[in-house]
Amino acid sequence: MANPEPPLVFTGLKLDIPATEAAGFTAVAHSLKHVFGAMPVARGFKALFKLNQKQGIDCPSCAWPDPDAHRSSVAEYCENGAKAIAEEATTRKVGTVFFQRYSVNELSEKSDYWLGQQGRLTHPMVIREGQTHYEKVSWEDAFSLIGNKLKSLLTPNDAIFYTSGRTSNEAAFLYQLFVREYGTNNLPDCSNMCHESSGVALTETLGLGKGSVTLEDFNKAEVIMILGQNPGTNHPRMLSALEEAKQHGAKIISINPLIEAGLLAFKHPQKLKDVVFGAEKLTDIYLQVKINGDLPLLKCMLKLLVEADINSSGKTLDHSFINKNTANYDILLKDLEQYSLETLSESCGITLTQIKEATELLINHNRIIVCWAMGLTQHKNSVSTIQEVVNLLLLKGSIGKEGAGTCPVRGHSNVQGDRTMGIYEKPKQAFLDKIEEVFGFRPPQEHGYDTIEAIKVMHEKPGKFFVGMGGNFLSATPDTQFTAKALTNCDLTVHISTKLNRSHLIHGKTALILPTLGRTDIDKQASGNQFVTVEDSMGIVHSSEGQLSPPSDTLLSEPAIVVAIAKATLGKSSKVNWEELCTDYDKIRDLIEKTISGFEQYNQRVRKDFGFYLPNAPREGQFTTKNSKANFTINPLSDIKLESDEYLMMTIRSHDQFNTTIYGLNDRYRGIYNERRVILMNEKDIQALKLQQYQVVNLINYHGKTERIAERFIVIPYNIPSRCVATYFPETNVLVPINSVADKSNTPTSKSVIIKITPVVEDGNTILAKV
């Protein structure tokens, strides 16, 4: 089998002092360097000037919303957005000669960064059992191969249909429609691995698995809490919203195991004030919590709020809101009585004095927004932690009013939209009934597999079929060696992709790579140039229209590929007129309008201004739970216990990275350059293990009595709580156990991995990396 992990090669580590502010002209320079290093100047400027503009290209990076008004006509994008454009709109190409030159095994020894830098895929490729190289295949033969395999399976449930969050609304809707007419709900997606915990927690407590705030709410908030999120790297345009909020008087509380530059200060490169007088300070109170210490911290804050309410004769909490809109308030108060402030303080790693200082802001203000990302969603108790966030907001009446609410900050640019379109293994009955009403076939009623369940099924039973609509499934998922075996067990694996990635190299007996148009590419169909639509983190649906010539005239759009697979599989028995749907995407949107509420006059509204908001009941103070109330919940503390030689590891992204896409080898804000195989450790822990800076170590996880090893990592002293360590994703995904998942959401616990650290010894000597 080819190598499922990045190669164990050091690239020359360099360290610097971590940054204390984000963005500025340095970010502009790096943005332009990436863009103009990937394409001619004219093409680069055209892409950038159309990025996040009306009738332009929606950024293929994160899902942070565009401003409703006052958006910059010069540069409504961030450094990471520019890097994403450079990655997709590059003029470098991976054609048929490339695959003749490199075998799959040879490619698997290349780094993820190298693979991504080779360019855009240009032709459909196939590799058959026993072959060493991919070779060109016609589109017709590729679709025939897929259709024949799907028709030959004993049951439709032997097929897995994965979706990445960059897939457009139109492609996602067609994809789930085909899959359900084929006969299965096996529609795992990247949400299963990131914000599934948010969806479960918010649905149970508020009735909707999405955030409740709008961008304008940030300018009306009095307090903004940011937990488990690094916006300077992962959602840089959020910094503009935080800066404006500060200028409107908001206080910011940041809660994170690492001190992140983007939470400290922001230098807006388009604002003369920032350029002349320096960066805007963002965080007022920074709580450097232990990994997975968020729940005891929040519970401590709840107790302090309740105490303050008693001392103020009921003037701290919003009792009018609580009595009218919530359930289980008395049960929550009773549960809080069992905890002591001192024990909770010790559990989270924050002094009681610091916690009281932060809570004082909550006591004295009522318009509170809480933001979070995967630092909260990838623990065993993630759903409970997010529900404790909701408890806090409900106590203060900070749901359903301006300047207040929940804000789960999502990564992929349309991951929320894909779920709205029906990419979900557990669809609601009302959605299935509507499909039957509109299309005339009865979709399957039983739930399908989520991502973790799909990996286990493919691992246990050979002969499956897997297709990935975008993404890099192998590198995004946990337990790399386990997942690799699952993929190689399949009879046929198919990846619909724009760029080469490691998932193409760890394949089934037969494998296909189907190259597709990207967000930046002009999509010309029979009725003319097309646009697609996406939904951002705050529920705004807007258009995205490619502006650049595609890298090859052989590429097909994602909707066209789905249509072709449907026709090859379902044939004339289908109830859907597939052919007409890929000639004019308005027709797809017409069907979405008939099927999904909130999309009334879809084609008309999405063409106006900057799109439209979907209905959001919690935003309006309405809760569509079973009891029509916002529900307080009881959330027990985590029971993670570390032995004396164990450490709690969280996986993180570098600044030169978006999800599994590696833009470069630098983590500029953290002062780490030219290397990714590093482990960030507390200085005291390094001394306790008798290690030293730059020493090479192996990282080992023993969950479920299975040994998992991530080899040859370089020790770096860093400001991180004791007994906590951080490593880059996906290099240490190999350590994330397939059976270690969040309660209720089944999300991998990539932020709570128990490891041991052992020095690498060669010829009886420990090793220091060359720097």
Side-chain angles (χ1 to χ4, degrees), residues 171-275:
F173 183 80
L174 290 185
Y175 192 52
Q176 66 81 29
L177 184 64
F178 155 63
V179 170
R180 292 192 163 103
E181 188 174 20
Y182 173 63
T184 183
N185 282 313
N186 288 347
L187 284 159
D189 72 329
C190 57
S191 282
N192 297 149
M193 296 179 289
C194 56
H195 271 286
E196 195 69 57
S197 297
S198 300
V200 172
L202 295 175
T203 299
E204 288 185 354
T205 54
L206 304 178
L208 181 68
K210 301 179 181 182
S212 66
V213 301
T214 67
L215 200 55
E216 184 60 28
D217 283 321
F218 278 76
N219 290 335
K220 299 175 181 178
E222 295 173 316
V223 179
I224 300 171
M225 294 178 65
I226 305 171
L227 297 91
Q229 185 195 0
N230 177 18
T233 287
N234 300 329
H235 312 91
R237 284 201 299 153
M238 181 179 176
L239 300 182
S240 298
L242 295 178
E243 181 182 46
E244 287 191 32
K246 287 290 293 183
Q247 292 167 355
H248 282 84
K251 300 294 185 181
I252 295 179
I253 303 170
S254 292
I255 301 170
N256 200 302
L258 297 177
I259 303 297
E260 302 287 15
L263 292 171
L264 295 177
F266 171 53
K267 182 180 285 186
H268 199 309
Q270 296 184 52
K271 291 188 176 181
L272 182 62
K273 171 183 169 292
D274 288 13
V275 173

Side-chain angles (χ1 to χ4, degrees), residues 58-63 165-166 411-415 519 534-536 658:
D58 183 68
C59 181
S61 188
C62 80
R166 289 188 184 181
H412 275 103
S413 62
N414 196 40
V415 64
R519 196 76 64 77
V534 296
E535 177 187 344
D536 64 33
F658 184 75

Side-chain angles (χ1 to χ4, degrees), residues 395-412:
L395 286 178
K396 295 295 293 182
S398 282
I399 299 277
K401 66 183 178 185
E402 290 185 331
T406 58
C407 184
V409 185
R410 300 179 187 269
H412 275 103

Side-chain angles (χ1 to χ4, degrees), residues 489-502:
N489 266 351
C490 293
D491 280 349
L492 177 62
T493 52
V494 181
H495 291 279
I496 301 167
S497 307
T498 58
K499 304 283 293 288
L500 184 65
N501 64 55
R502 194 163 298 277

